[in-house]
Structures are given as C-alpha cells and as structure tokens.
C-alpha cells in the first residue's frame, strides 16, 4: 500500500438541517413506515407545518446514539429506560410535484428518482412484471396508483411509543376537512428479530458493513461525525474510520457536499445545485422485500446433501452452503477470515467482522492509544482474488466488491457506489423447526440513503447483484439477485478449502426474495420542509 | 493450451477455403505473441526478475489442464460516465456526429454507429468489436470478401476504391466512419494492443515494499494502458492476479474482444409493451459476438416505431451509448500450472520497451503501425 497522504479538510455538515436517519441512523428496535397520499395541498401544507418541528435532525439522533453507546459500553448492556422516538419523512417525485412544481422536480439531478421505482423496477432491478407473481400490481405499496406522496419513518426502542407518536403525527381534524387531509395508504411495522437481534429472516447477521461518512460536526476539526479509531501510524488511518469502515465523502449521501473521484478517490467540489432546496437533502430507496424462508432453508438442506457427495464438497452442511451464498456465516463472520467454520465471536465483533479485503492482504489495524475496543486476535483475512474462499457471486461480495475490480472501475469507483442502509425486518421469524411455509408475510423493509439512486443503489442491483458476468463471472447473487426475463439463475461455487475438485455451477430457483412494494423518495432538509410547508 | 493454428476472430468463416490466408493470419497473431514474449523475456531478464509467464500457445504450447477465465468490462467508455452525483453521463460526447475519417472516441473495444431518420429518431445502432488488424489483413488477403462484407453490413453502395488509399486499406474510410462502423477505429482498439496488454500485465510489480495488488496502482506502475478506461485496468489486474499465483498465462483462441451480452430485460415502449430481443448478432456467435445490431422488427418499424421509442427504465433511447452501457464485453484468458512460475516483482517505473512511434498523429499511425493501449 502506498503511504496515505493526509486527507484534505472535511466539510462542516449542517447537521441541524439534515434529517437524522440519513447520516446518524435511527438504530432502533422498532420502526413504523406510513405512506400517505396528499389531497388538498393547503391541508397538506398545514399538516407539514405541524410536522416539521417533530422531524429528528442529525444532531439529535447522533448525540442520542453516542450517549446510548457510551452507556452501553461502560455498563456492558443496553441502558434501561433510555429511549427516544424519532420521525423522519421523505417525499416521492409525485409528492414533490404537488408541494413544489413539476418544473422544479424536472430539475432534480437524478433520473431514477424522477421516474420512480415503478418505471425502474423491471429494467434495472429485474423485478417481475405486472401480472407476474411479485409484479408491482401485487405490491402492498408503491404499485400502480399506490405510490405514496409522503413516507413517514418512525422509530423507537419501545413499540408502544411508536403508536402514540403516530397518533400525534398523522393528519387530524385541525389540519383541514377530512376529505382534504392526506390519506394513509400504507403502514407497516418493522421489528428487530426478538430471537436473533441484528439478523434478517434467513438467519444471517445484517447491516454489518456501512461506510463512514466524512464531515465535521463543528468548526473544530477533531469533532467529526464518524469518530476515528485508527492510530495515525496506521496507513489506513486516512481512509478508514475504524477497522473495515471506509471513509466516504458526504456528497455521496447528502446533496451539496464534496463527493470523491471515481478514478483516484480525491475529493471533488460539489456541482452547483439547480434548486437551493436540494441542499442537505438525500435520496431514499425503500424496498419491501418478502423472504421465502422455508424455501431457502429447504434448498440449502437438500442441495448441501447433494453437493456433499461430489468431489470438493465433502462435509458440506446447509449452514456452510448458506455461508457460501452470503459470503458470511450466520454470525456475520466473513468467509475470507474463517473459510471453514462459523466463529460467532468473530461475527459478534463488528470491527473484526468487517476488517477484510478480497485481493490485498489486510494487516491488523493499529488502534489509537486508549481505544477501548478489544484487539482483533482473529485469523487475518486471506487474499482471495481467485474467489476460492468467498464465491464471486456471494451476496456480500456482489453488493460491495471492496478492492476487487469491477466492470466499471476499481476500488475507488466502488467506494462511490456505497449506500447508507437503514432497513429492518418485518413479520415474525419462521420457527427453526417449521415443517413448511406458514403463509405469514415476512421479510425486510430495506431502506437506504444516497445522493444518486441511479449511480449507487441501481448500480449495485443492476450491474452486480442481478448480473451473472459482472463484477466477475460467477453467477447471480443468490440472496437478492433476479435473473433477467426467466433466464436461469445460478452461482458458481469453488471446491471447499483444502479439497480437490472442480468448481460447480449450482442452478438456483428464480428467487427467494420477492419484491412486495417500495418507492424512490427524497428526504428534504428541514429548511426545504419549512419551504414546502409555508408556500402559498 | 497448445494449438496448431490461430483461428480468425470469432471463428469467422471469411477465409474458409483459403488455406494460405488462414496460415498467414495465424502467422500474424503468432508474431504478436512472440513479440510480446520476447520483449518480456528481455525486460524480466534485465530486471533479474525471471522469465515471461505469458506464452505463445502456438510455438510454446503447454499440454496441461487449462482454466479459462472470462474477463468482463462495461462497453460504455468510462471517461464519459457521470463523475459524481449531480453530473449526468455525457452520452453526446461519447458519440459525436460521424464524419469521414473521424475516429470514434469509444475506447472500450466496443464502437457503435447510430442511424437516425429525418426526425433525428434512432432507427438502428450497429455495434462492432472487431480489431482493425483483422480487416487490414483481410484487405490484403481477399479484397472481394472485404467488399462483400462491407456491402452486406454497411451499404450495397460501397465500392472497393472507397476502402483504399494509394498506400493500402484505409481503416478510417468513410464507410467505417461517416457512414457506418465495420470495425474498430480508435487507435487503442486493436488486437496487437490486446496481446501486449495481456502480456505486460503478467509482470508482477512492487511499490513501497509491497507487491502491487490494486488495478489503479498496477496500471500506474506498469503503464500498460490507460487507467481512465474500464477495460485496461480490469484486464490488467485480473491477468496479474493469475501471475501472482504462478500460472502460465495466455489468451484463448480465437484471440479477440467480444460482446458478452446485452441486458435488455424490462425495456418497453411507452404503452408498457415489451421491447426486448431486438439485439441481433450479425457476426460471431452468442459466446463470441463480433458484430450486433439493435433494430426494431420490421412489423414494429412499419407502425412508425423507432429505437427512440424504447424506454430503458422509463428513459427513451436518445443515444447509442445508452445501449452500450448495458453491454458487457469480454476476453478470455487461459491459465495452467499454478505455482509453477516464481517471478520476482519489478519496481514501478521500469517498463518493457515498446515499438517507437513516429511523429505522425496517432490516429494516422493506427492505420499502419502497432499501437498499444498505453500509446493510444
């Protein structure tokens, strides 16, 4: 690795103007999503005026999270009774047209947002078409005539507080006549799994890898949004906030800030914004993803048994096959750090579980003096340029190829495709001993923020997750990938470490994750929300 | 891999029955490989770093179990894609109005020509990934076949005299620039460059005391191509990954750059009817496509529909580049005998000596000389 040059000064983030879920993240056990359709615009603005003071800012959420984390670290457990209920909101292109004007929305610098998820669903995300299972006409939200103008996101440690908050925040009589009020067309709870907190319904730990956003909270250059934990003597201290957390310039998540070059990672001045109210806003992708847990488990069990009889796959278990599909073990331990067996303690240490590359060796990180995080004593990640430990099409390798080159660039380019994930599961877990599908909807309320849906979320989905030949030939992402137009879905698996044998191509069913709704939204700044609320 | 002859790109049948020409093509390709291997041997010898891991499968064929590895990249030139959020991709700059003799600025081994109607709506887009080396060779071997292919794929009006200058075949003739895309024109887009890039990328590199493993660092260090492209760094690092694992490395026969495929899933017309399956392979095969065309079936064209009516994720096609960015390109490497070569990494800066170029403009030299990816 080349000696890292000191990073240029980072920008001051206007954290009192940026909604809190974008940069800080709610990080709550319970969320409630409410979709509304605006009717009378004067009534909508009255409602919005009442709502704006309730919108949680980055300052508020960040400080709460910091205090919560400090107490948790010192006490060794969650601080009892410490709770907050947050609300953020986002607006679809249709909603923005109502609150501003079609001419203004036409100037938004992201075609995907302006066109909306419905228009992008089949061509970019390979979703089923209208009339097919999982097609937009079957969606609970976001299908034809069911696109919300406004999406409210509420979050709390205590589910009952969510219900109280929503009662307070939804449109009510003093906002206008009943027929004029914004109409609720969707609401759904998301909850962290009570049996496996932090895991999605297939049983794998989720949300481990997040980018660290550069930027200052005050004029003091030491007061940064993402605390820096690496010793200055560590060459990665200029590019990582902590082991495995890459620092990304804020212009990839919030409009109006420096982004970074796809060629060499250097910061780029932000392009002029076509509209002042775009400043401090962000684009939100919401996908309601239904998971076929029984089908996934059955496939793993049956196919692992088949494969175990083949040279190169002796002893393959269902859990191991699942790990090959995901790129991590259920605990979150990455295959490149533990190729043969799950190491729950590694998975539980989110710094260590994220401290790896696919190509270059990743030496142990040097932490700052006084750092309280326990040292990483797990086996180092093994370079895996050939995809022998972690298949090229494994979910986490598709969604973030890290230092592996892609068909559109290298690690510098990949860094500019990162997203801030804020999703949460919905529906009850399927019991481990369930004999069959129970017919209960469950899945993930996937939420992510970025500055460009077209260049970030849609590149991850369209270029990598759904594509069998890119970033590297090796099949589709078995978890999220969808083959084009009924084509066969597959993944190429290398023989298990230490075993002789040829790679095998494993045919996959069309999908285990089916879209069940969603939308593309804009999360405005508080200044913009005030503007929308007070326009004549 | 051990072969008895290099076959023409995409296993095309242009020279079937012409044994002498087929042999000459094989000789030409073999010369490209031998030149690369010799240059590497000289260079690595000078550096005390070992001997070439890249080999000529015809003259140095290795009879051992091979692994074939497709190396893929996006067909739309990286230099025109959006550099950051809020700045759109510059499709217009990627396809300037065609003019006689004008080289296309499309440097990812994929070039295209857009045909428009009087209302400026796109009626078809032709894509090619055939190197000019082959066409220059064909012009020397069989002029009638050359003319036949131009008339088949570009226009029945093509005359042989249109394709030649007094000094020989004109790569940038008007039927391959202003009026069509028979084969690649960008100086970097040639088979010689592909072979040299593949070869030079087998040199292991070191910098700051560590072996180079990132594509950006490798291409800066070894200078075998242009780091602002999709293709050069990707090909370079994937070849280099194999080199670091001690493989013997070569390129699959038939040597060529190929269209791997187009993702047109979900494309539709404004009324919601599907607009898929309009991408037709014209030369080559589904696994080694040399030439393809995007054009609506005649029944749809008869209804007045054009390519510009097709929506990709809700966006109408205004430029051929919107299709190109959905095309994946590939070449195929062949490796064998891992851990059999233990070359030493070479410091950055030192590079194998390339053939010297003259003072003439590069595009002109591309007609006559071997131009590499780093020179173009």
């Amino acid at each position: 690795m080349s000696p890292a040059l000191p990073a240029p000064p980072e920008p001051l983030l206007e954290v009192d103007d940026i909604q809190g879920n974008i940069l800080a993240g709610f990080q709550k056990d319970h969320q409630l999503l409410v979709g509304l359709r605006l009717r009378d615009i004067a009534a909508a603005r009255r409602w919005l005026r009442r709502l704006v003071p309730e919108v949680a800012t980055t300052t508020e959420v960040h400080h709460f999270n910091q205090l919560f984390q400090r107490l948790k670290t010192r006490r060794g457990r969650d601080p009892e009774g410490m709770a907050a209920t947050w609300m953020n909101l986002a607006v679809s292109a249709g909603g923005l047209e109502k609150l501003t004007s079609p001419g203004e929305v036409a100037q938004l610098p992201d075609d995907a947002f302006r066109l909306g998820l419905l228009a992008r669903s089949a061509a970019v995300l390979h979703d089923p078409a209208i009339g097919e299972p999982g097609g937009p006409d079957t969606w609970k939200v976001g299908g034809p005539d069911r696109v919300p103008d406004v999406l409210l996101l509420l979050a709390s440690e205590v589910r009952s507080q969510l219900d109280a908050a929503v009662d307070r925040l939804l449109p009510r009589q003093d906002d206008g006549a009943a027929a004029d009020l914004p109409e609720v067309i969707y609401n759904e709870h998301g909850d962290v799994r009570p049996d496996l907190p932090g895991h999605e319904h297939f049983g794998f730990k989720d949300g481990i890898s997040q980018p660290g956003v550069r930027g200052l909270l005050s004029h003091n250059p030491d007061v940064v949004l993402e605390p820096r934990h690496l010793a200055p003597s560590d060459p990665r201290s200029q590019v990582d906030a902590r082991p495995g957390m890459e620092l990304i310039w804020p212009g990839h998540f919030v409009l109006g800030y420096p982004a970074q070059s796809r060629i060499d990672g250097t910061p780029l001045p932000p392009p002029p914004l076509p509209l002042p109210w775009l400043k401090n806003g962000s684009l939100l992708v919401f996908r309601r993803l239904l998971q076929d847990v029984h089908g996934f488990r059955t496939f793993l069990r049956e196919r692992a048994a088949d494969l175990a009889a083949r040279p190169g796959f002796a002893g393959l278990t269902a859990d191991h096959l699942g790990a090959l599909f995901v790129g991590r073990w259920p605990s979150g331990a990455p295959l490149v750090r533990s190729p043969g067996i799950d190491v729950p303690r590694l998975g539980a240490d989110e710094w260590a579980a994220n401290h790896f590359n696919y190509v270059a060796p990743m030496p142990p990180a040097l932490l700052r003096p006084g750092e309280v995080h326990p040292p990483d004593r797990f086996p180092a990640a093994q370079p895996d340029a050939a995809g022998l430990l972690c298949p090229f099409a494994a979910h986490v390798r598709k969604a973030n190829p890290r230092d592996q080159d892609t068909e559109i660039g290298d690690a510098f380019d990949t860094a500019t495709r990162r997203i801030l994930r804020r999703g949460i599961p919905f529906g009850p877990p399927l019991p481990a001993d369930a004999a069959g599908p129970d017919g209960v909807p469950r899945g993930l309320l996937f939420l992510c923020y970025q500055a460009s849906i077209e260049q970030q979320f849609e590149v991850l989905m369209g270029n990598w997750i759904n594509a069998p030949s890119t970033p590297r030939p090796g099949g589709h992402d078995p978890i999220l990938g969808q083959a084009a137009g009924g084509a066969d879905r597959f993944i190429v698996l290398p023989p298990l470490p230490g075993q002789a044998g040829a790679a095998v191509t494993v045919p996959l069913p069309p999908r285990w994750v089916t879209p069940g709704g969603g939308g593309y939204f804009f999360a405005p700044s508080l200044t913009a929300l005030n503007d929308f609320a007070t326009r004549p | 891999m051990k072969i008895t002859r290099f076959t023409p790109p995409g296993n095309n049948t242009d020279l079937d029955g012409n044994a002498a020409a087929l042999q000459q093509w094989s000789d030409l390709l073999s010369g490209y490989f031998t030149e690369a291997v010799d240059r590497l041997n000289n260079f690595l010898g000078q550096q005390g770093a070992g001997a070439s891991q890249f080999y000529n499968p015809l003259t140095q064929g290795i009879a051992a179990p091979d692994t074939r590895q497709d190396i893929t990249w996006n067909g739309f030139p990286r230099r025109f894609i959006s550099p950051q959020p809020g700045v759109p991709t510059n499709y217009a700059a990627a396809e300037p109005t065609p003019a006689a003799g004008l080289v296309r600025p499309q440097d990812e081994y994929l070039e295209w020509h857009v045909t428009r109607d009087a209302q400026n709506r796109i009626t078809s887009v032709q894509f090619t990934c055939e190197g000019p080396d082959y066409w220059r060779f064909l012009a020397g071997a069989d002029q009638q076949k050359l003319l036949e292919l131009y008339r088949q794929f570009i226009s029945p009006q093509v005359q042989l005299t249109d394709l030649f200058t007094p000094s020989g075949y004109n790569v940038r003739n008007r039927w391959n620039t202003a009026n069509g895309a028979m084969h690649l024109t960008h100086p970097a887009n040639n088979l010689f460059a592909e072979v040299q890039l593949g070869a030079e990328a087998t040199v292991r590199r070191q910098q700051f005391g560590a072996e180079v493993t990132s594509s950006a660092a490798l291409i800066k260090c070894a200078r075998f191509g242009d780091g602002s492209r999709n293709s050069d760094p990707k090909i370079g690092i994937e070849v280099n990954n194999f080199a670091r694992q001690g493989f013997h490395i070569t390129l699959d026969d038939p040597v060529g750059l190929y269209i791997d495929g187009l993702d047109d899933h979900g494309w539709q017309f404004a009324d919601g009817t599907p607009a898929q399956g309009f991408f037709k392979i014209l030369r080559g095969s589904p696994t080694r496509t040399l030439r393809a065309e995007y054009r609506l079936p005649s029944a749809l064209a008869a209804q007045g529909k054009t390519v510009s009516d097709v929506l990709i994720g809700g966006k109408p096609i205004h430029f051929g580049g919107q299709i190109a960015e959905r095309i994946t390109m590939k070449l195929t490497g062949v490796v064998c005998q891992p851990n059999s070569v233990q070359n030493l990494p070479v410091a950055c800066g030192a590079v194998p000596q390339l053939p010297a170029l003259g003072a003439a403009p590069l595009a002109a030299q591309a007609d006559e000389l071997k131009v590499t990816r780093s020179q173009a």
Side-chain angles (χ1 to χ4, degrees), chain B residues 104 128 130-143 145-147 149-150 154 158-177 180-185 363-369:
Chain B
R104 288 176 282 269
T128 179
E130 294 196 65
D133 329 44
Y134 176 76
W135 287 81
R136 191 182 305 120
F137 172 82
L138 183 64
D142 188 341
Q143 291 191 353
K145 187 66 186 181
L146 177 81
L147 182 62
L149 291 170
Y150 263 90
I154 305 297
V158 179
Q159 301 297 318
L160 208 48
T161 50
D162 299 336
L163 306 181
F164 286 83
T165 64
S167 57
Y169 176 67
N170 179 9
V171 166
R172 292 174 291 124
N173 69 75
R174 72 182 178 96
W175 298 106
N176 191 37
T177 50
M182 188 67 250
H183 58 75
L184 301 171
T185 62
Q365 297 193 36
D367 286 1
E368 306 300 334
L369 292 175

Side-chain angles (χ1 to χ4, degrees), chain B residues 55-318:
Chain B
Y55 68 96
N56 181 338
L58 179 65
T59 61
Q60 303 170 298
I62 300 172
D66 288 319
T67 298
R68 282 177 166 69
Q69 180 66 55
D70 286 347
I71 299 173
T72 54
W73 65 93
N74 188 268
F76 185 79
R78 189 182 183 198
R79 70 185 72 246
F80 299 114
I81 71 163
S82 161
Q84 64 170 313
V87 182
T89 292
N90 196 343
Y91 296 108
E95 50 188 80
T97 304
L102 185 69
V103 169
R104 288 176 282 269
Q106 299 148 8
D107 59 357
E108 302 289 3
Y109 292 117
L110 178 72
E111 297 182 19
W112 62 91
H113 180 83
V114 177
T115 306
R116 296 177 185 270
D117 64 14
Q119 286 77 46
N120 205 34
R121 299 179 305 174
I122 297 176
T123 54
S124 70
V125 186
Q126 292 85 36
F127 295 91
T128 179
C129 54
E130 294 196 65
D133 329 44
Y134 176 76
W135 287 81
R136 191 182 305 120
F137 172 82
L138 183 64
D142 188 341
Q143 291 191 353
Q144 282 310 309
K145 187 66 186 181
L146 177 81
L147 182 62
E148 180 188 316
L149 291 170
Y150 263 90
R151 286 181 172 173
Q152 178 185 352
F153 292 115
I154 305 297
S155 167
Q157 298 171 34
V158 179
Q159 301 297 318
L160 208 48
T161 50
D162 299 336
L163 306 181
F164 286 83
T165 64
S167 57
Y169 176 67
N170 179 9
V171 166
R172 292 174 291 124
N173 69 75
R174 72 182 178 96
W175 298 106
N176 191 37
T177 50
N179 303 102
M182 188 67 250
H183 58 75
L184 301 171
T185 62
H186 190 282
N189 291 340
N190 63 83
L191 294 177
F192 177 78
E194 177 196 357
V195 175
Q196 305 311 310
L197 168 56
E200 289 184 33
T202 63
V203 177
R204 299 171 62 169
R205 294 287 180 168
Q206 65 174 347
Q207 189 177 33
F208 308 119
E211 185 148 15
V212 174
T213 57
S214 89
S215 62
L218 181 68
I219 202 162
K220 269 188 200 163
C221 177
R223 304 205 295 257
F224 49 62
D226 184 337
S228 64
R229 294 182 182 128
N230 296 320
S231 48
D232 295 2
K234 180 83 186 301
I235 296 168
I237 196 65
E238 293 206 23
V239 169
N240 197 261
N241 286 339
F242 284 120
R244 280 181 275 118
Q245 296 169 62
F247 283 97
H248 291 287
I249 300 164
T250 194
L251 299 174
D252 201 11
D253 180 69
V255 175
L257 297 312
Y258 298 105
I259 294 170
D260 184 52
L262 167 77
D263 177 6
D264 66 349
H265 179 67
W267 296 15
Q268 57 184 211
F269 294 105
D271 63 4
T273 56
Q276 295 164 222
F278 302 158
F279 188 68
K280 300 297 182 196
I281 297 169
L282 302 181
R283 270 171 68 80
S285 64
T287 55
R288 291 194 180 98
T289 300
L290 293 168
R291 181 177 190 81
E293 179 179 58
Y294 192 86
R295 179 190 289 273
L296 267 50
S298 52
L300 289 172
Q303 296 170 19
K305 287 184 172 165
T306 67
V307 172
S308 297
D309 294 314
V310 174
L311 306 178
I312 304 175
K315 283 201 274 191
I317 297 177
H318 293 307

Side-chain angles (χ1 to χ4, degrees), chain B residues 20-43:
Chain B
L22 287 169
Q23 186 58 49
Q24 287 163 6
W25 173 252
S26 180
D27 293 344
L28 179 70
L29 259 289
S30 183
Y32 286 179
F33 278 75
T34 298
E35 186 174 333
V37 171
D38 288 349
R39 194 157 62 233
L40 282 190
N41 278 330
N42 287 338
F43 173 68

Side-chain angles (χ1 to χ4, degrees), chain A residues 138-158:
Chain A
T138 68
W139 291 0
K140 184 169 181 175
V141 58
D145 303 320
R146 294 194 55 78
V147 179
D149 291 320
V150 174
L151 185 69
L152 293 186
L153 297 93
L154 294 95
S156 180
E157 280 80 7
V158 184

